[in-house]
Amino acid sequence: MKQKIPHDAQIFVAGHRGLVGSAIVDRLRAEGYRNLVLATRQQLDLRDQAAVNYWFRANRPDYVYLVAGTVGGILANSTRPAEFIYDNMMIHATVVHAAYSHGVKKLLYLGSSCIYPREAPQPIREESLLTGRLEPTNEWYAIAKIAGIKLCQSYRRQYGCNFISAMPTNLYGPRDNFDLASSHVVPALIRKFHEAGVKGEEEVVIWGSGAPRREFLHVEDLAHCCLYLMEHYEDDLHINVGTGEDLSIRELAELVKKIVHPGARLVFDTSKPDGTPRKLLDVSRLHALGWKHSFELRQGLETTYRWYLDHLDPG
Ligand code: GFB
């Protein structure tokens, strides 16, 4: 079933300055959506219910992409747990509630693959949610993300709202965060290999053992998928979004090395956490719905590295 979203609909992308939100805005504009209603963090504190209500009343969005939040890699998650749980729980609650109060036609909420139990059978099916203990390095973020899914389901059940949830795997791409203390692994490795190459150094330090396995989706694929789900997905159950393929962190590092600094040598710092051993998503429901990714990892890493080079601070 397809529910066409009219090109003159008012669309709110909550979190439009972030990696995901900015890619969704680009995609919406490319597809001819003219009426995007956006607010920066300075204009609207999404944790403040009164401010969010006021903003919805003034801007009357018909459709909402809820992709705002405090995000970060394994270190940021384990060292700033209060920010990760508070900011995300508040943002999800205020936006979902305002979307209900102001009669939003449809809302897409984006979670994360870290919602699943650490020891979930692989590839992870949507039904694995809440069947076991979470990975300790990101349980605060995961709890907030699970609460977001449950918010959407509860507003569907009690008020009949058309709110859906998608769970993307690890993301990367242009406009990612390249700050080594808070970034995810892909931008961190691109930056580390690049800087080692510039300084003429051989050694590049990779956190952990290199054994954990991860699945990576290019953010432009995710943006395309979000627009697709807005038109094609209607279920109460959340849906996994990924490629269905994973590799080890060592293999990822070898790939980044080839692209960025082929002369480098990998050194593993096992004092840093590995995190979840594996989180490969089962994407059969997504494929059955008719959507598949288009960026292969190598190509995606190359375009991301090119973006990084184009946006390096010359100072
Ligand atoms: O991307 P990442 O920080 O997040 O780390 P998670 C993935 C793996 O890469 C871990 C290793 O095993 C890291 O130890 N790694 C190796 C590195 N070198 C580096 C490096 O220089 N920087 C980083 N950041 N990692 C996050 C969660 O988990 O994934 C969030 O904390 C969220 O909640 C996100 O779900 C998608 O995949 O481990």
Side-chain angles (χ1 to χ4, degrees):
M1 113 241 54
K2 179 166 174 173
Q3 181 199 46
K4 188 82 194 115
I5 311 296
H7 280 113
D8 60 354
Q10 298 266 106
I11 302 179
F12 176 32
V13 181
H16 75 282
R17 288 270 180 92
L19 172 69
V20 175
S22 58
I24 291 179
V25 165
D26 285 352
R27 186 83 204 188
L28 285 166
R29 290 197 169 127
E31 294 203 5
Y33 290 96
R34 300 184 292 276
N35 296 331
L36 306 189
V37 283
L38 307 170
T40 63
R41 202 173 285 221
Q42 289 70 34
Q43 291 165 325
L44 174 62
D45 181 351
L46 289 170
R47 298 168 303 180
D48 177 344
Q49 184 75 69
V52 173
N53 289 346
Y54 181 84
W55 193 87
F56 267 71
R57 203 159 44 245
N59 292 281
R60 303 236 151 255
D62 301 310
Y63 296 88
V64 175
Y65 289 89
L66 175 45
V67 298
T70 292
V71 298
I74 194 164
L75 190 67
N77 263 271
S78 42
T79 52
R80 292 162 38 208
E83 278 173 65
F84 276 80
I85 194 164
Y86 177 79
D87 291 354
N88 290 305
M89 286 205 353
M90 295 302 284
I91 290 171
H92 303 157
T94 62
V95 176
V96 164
H97 189 71
Y100 149 66
S101 312
H102 293 87
V104 162
K105 294 191 175 82
K106 191 164 183 176
L107 174 146
L108 168 65
Y109 162 71
L110 219 60
S112 161
S113 60
C114 69
I115 58 159
Y116 292 114
R118 185 174 198 274
E119 308 295 339
Q122 308 283 322
I124 312 174
R125 292 165 50 85
E126 286 86 353
E127 292 78 7
S128 288
L129 183 64
L130 295 173
T131 56
R133 296 185 78 83
L134 296 165
E135 155 62 33
T137 52
N138 59 33
E139 67 176 318
W140 324 96
Y141 181 69
I143 293 278
K145 286 284 159 192
I146 294 169
I149 300 176
K150 293 297 163 191
L151 270 163
C152 291
Q153 284 175 344
S154 62
Y155 278 70
R156 282 179 84 91
R157 288 181 192 191
Q158 187 171 344
Y159 303 124
C161 298
N162 192 2
F163 294 171
I164 57 167
S165 301
M167 297 305 118
T169 188
N170 287 36
L171 303 168
Y172 71 99
R175 303 195 196 99
D176 209 338
N177 167 20
F178 288 82
D179 168 59
L180 295 178
S182 55
S183 71
H184 289 100
V185 63
V186 169
L189 294 187
I190 288 178
R191 179 170 176 175
K192 285 181 182 178
F193 281 99
H194 175 77
E195 289 182 351
V198 168
K199 291 183 200 147
E201 292 169 1
E202 259 189 21
E203 210 172 86
V204 172
V205 177
I206 314 296
W207 294 354
S209 65
R213 298 184 70 81
R214 294 289 184 273
E215 175 186 4
F216 297 98
L217 180 69
H218 193 280
V219 71
E220 288 170 25
D221 273 338
L222 176 73
H224 180 240
C225 186
C226 287
L227 269 67
Y228 189 87
L229 293 174
M230 196 57 118
E231 292 196 328
H232 294 86
Y233 194 68
E234 294 291 342
D235 279 10
D236 177 77
L237 182 64
H238 59 280
I239 185 162
N240 288 341
V241 179
T243 63
E245 295 155 22
D246 68 354
L247 77 175
S248 70
I249 295 300
R250 179 190 288 273
E251 289 165 333
L252 173 73
E254 291 289 352
L255 199 51
V256 177
K257 172 180 138 166
K258 265 192 210 129
I259 297 167
V260 179
H261 180 19
R265 187 163 48 85
L266 313 186
V267 175
F268 291 91
D269 174 2
T270 50
S271 70
K272 293 284 193 308
D274 270 347
T276 311
R278 193 177 188 197
K279 45 179 173 177
L280 175 64
L281 294 179
D282 182 327
V283 285
S284 35
R285 289 177 69 239
L286 184 66
H287 288 176
L289 199 67
W291 190 88
K292 198 174 180 298
H293 69 284
S294 60
F295 273 90
E296 291 314 323
L297 184 58
R298 177 162 189 142
Q299 174 203 7
L301 292 174
E302 283 168 354
T303 58
T304 306
Y305 182 44
R306 217 168 301 132
W307 184 92
Y308 175 74
L309 291 176
D310 289 344
H311 292 81
L312 267 181
D313 184 353

